[in-house]
Amino acid sequence: MATKPMLNIIKLKKMKEAGDPISMITAYDYPSARLAEEAGIDIILVGDSLANVVLGYNSTIPITIDDMVFHSRSVARGATHTFIVTDMPFMTYHGNIDETLRNVRRIMQEGYAHAVKMEGGAEIAPAINAIVKAGVPVLGHIGLTPQSVNQIGGYRIQGKTPEEAKQLMEDAKALEKAGAFAIVLELVTEEVAAAISAAISIPVIGIGAGRKVDGQVLVYHDVLKYTASYREKRFVKTYADLGELAKQGITEFIKEVKTKEFPSEDHVFAANEEVLDQLYGAKTGAQQ
Ligand code: KIV
């Protein structure tokens, strides 16, 4: 299958200008990355949602820089022709700039990402600016920022009051000014998201932010229901049910092992005569 040319931050801005919607999906390992690339996705995000959907934590806070490097690297092996953005994990960009740059270096040099994503508004603009000046593209992330779940009091819609909406707008503008090449806007009302997208020149990629933004991102395991006991989310559309398929497949395997239907003759390797002689001795006259 022919792969399409890899995107970059210049082309992404042109997509916004042309009204060409940007598609982004998360991936966390070699097979998910390969499948996303073969399907023709514009951007792969190695999200720290890795914590929830792959590693079984109940928030993104426990994820470390080592975890992100390890998974980013395997995604890069699977998607060699796709623009890859990797999340900077919790508290890896809030210390001094040298420490932040050391962490960014690891994501880029050891995780083979093309860009990093960071959660936060105007307060992280200086860090974004320093990273961009070091030559690394930064994707901002405002609205619901899961790394701050303990401060914002749960996973709830953002920008619902005039003050919150004003703050989101100011944050978006601060990120643009700091040099972010695009912004992820998570769980925000459609009207506020539309106003933000119209007010800035860089793409706004929404998740639970309605239709009037410049692209959409979803989590791989949500798009494919790739989990046990999937919990429906209003802003997600599922396009396949891999969880159910996987469970059915494993149930069938167990059944066939127990009933000795598997392996059948089709799945076994036969030894040649010489080996049989060696194992069981020379053939008897009756066999010859
Ligand atoms: O970590 C992640 O998967 C994300 C997306 C929800 C945008 O940040």
Side-chain angles (χ1 to χ4, degrees):
M1 181 186 167
T3 41
K4 57 181 194 180
M6 181 165 2
L7 283 181
N8 56 46
I9 62 172
I10 314 288
K11 290 186 193 166
L12 284 166
K13 197 160 180 204
K14 288 201 174 126
M15 285 175 81
K16 172 171 177 133
E17 286 158 10
D20 181 3
I22 298 164
S23 62
M24 179 158 94
I25 193 166
T26 64
Y28 312 96
D29 56 16
Y30 177 85
S32 55
R34 261 199 83 164
L35 289 168
E37 177 166 285
E38 285 177 13
I41 201 77
D42 291 323
I43 307 177
I44 290 180
L45 172 66
V46 188
D48 61 355
S49 50
L50 164 72
N52 311 90
V53 298
V54 175
L55 302 182
Y57 295 115
N58 64 7
S59 82
T60 55
I61 292 172
I63 283 290
T64 65
I65 197 93
D66 285 342
D67 294 327
M68 293 311 295
V69 164
F70 180 83
H71 285 269
S72 182
R73 216 178 164 108
S74 53
V75 165
R77 285 193 295 267
T80 51
H81 294 84
T82 304
F83 191 72
I84 297 171
V85 183
T86 298
D87 256 330
M88 296 290 294
F90 179 69
M91 294 290 281
T92 57
Y93 46 99
H94 298 88
N96 64 46
I97 293 292
D98 287 347
E99 192 193 339
T100 297
L101 290 178
R102 265 198 302 279
N103 289 327
V104 170
R105 181 201 68 71
R106 291 203 58 200
I107 296 284
M108 301 294 289
Q109 227 172 18
E110 300 172 40
Y112 300 141
H114 301 110
V116 295
K117 176 163 84 57
M118 294 159 61
E119 294 181 9
E123 73 286 359
I124 61 159
I128 293 182
N129 195 245
I131 297 167
V132 171
K133 279 195 174 132
V136 176
V138 177
L139 175 59
H141 182 161
I142 56 174
L144 178 80
T145 47
Q147 290 174 10
S148 316
V149 62
N150 293 318
Q151 193 170 44
I152 56 186
Y155 299 98
R156 57 181 190 85
I157 297 166
Q158 303 294 300
K160 281 178 94 176
T161 64
E163 296 74 31
E164 275 184 10
K166 181 165 173 273
Q167 184 63 54
L168 277 177
M169 181 64 87
E170 281 171 11
D171 284 338
K173 288 183 176 169
L175 297 190
E176 177 181 32
K177 195 158 168 231
F181 71 88
I183 294 175
V184 166
L185 192 55
E186 181 166 353
L187 272 199
V188 173
T189 58
E190 187 168 58
E191 295 79 2
V192 170
I196 290 174
S197 173
I200 60 177
S201 66
I202 56 175
V204 172
I205 305 178
I207 172 163
R211 296 160 287 185
K212 296 169 187 159
V213 286
D214 309 301
Q216 299 289 334
V217 53
L218 282 178
V219 167
Y220 187 90
H221 292 60
D222 284 339
V223 171
L224 301 173
K225 271 197 175 183
Y226 187 28
T227 185
S229 315
Y230 184 75
R231 188 176 57 80
E232 302 287 340
K233 302 171 190 83
R234 165 101 188 267
F235 60 91
V236 166
K237 182 170 174 188
T238 55
Y239 293 82
D241 193 346
L242 293 197
E244 197 45 45
L245 263 182
K247 217 184 313 173
Q248 272 171 23
I250 298 167
T251 308
E252 193 65 11
F253 167 65
I254 296 168
K255 192 198 102 202
E256 292 202 357
V257 169
K258 302 286 180 192
T259 58
K260 299 193 176 174
E261 272 172 85
F262 176 80
S264 73
E265 201 178 343
D266 292 343
H267 307 109
V268 300
F269 305 102
N272 65 28
E273 294 279 318
E274 234 180 323
V275 175
L276 291 178
D277 284 351
Q278 167 97 38
L279 288 174
Y280 298 111
K283 288 176 183 151
T284 63
Q287 283 172 318
Q288 282 163 355

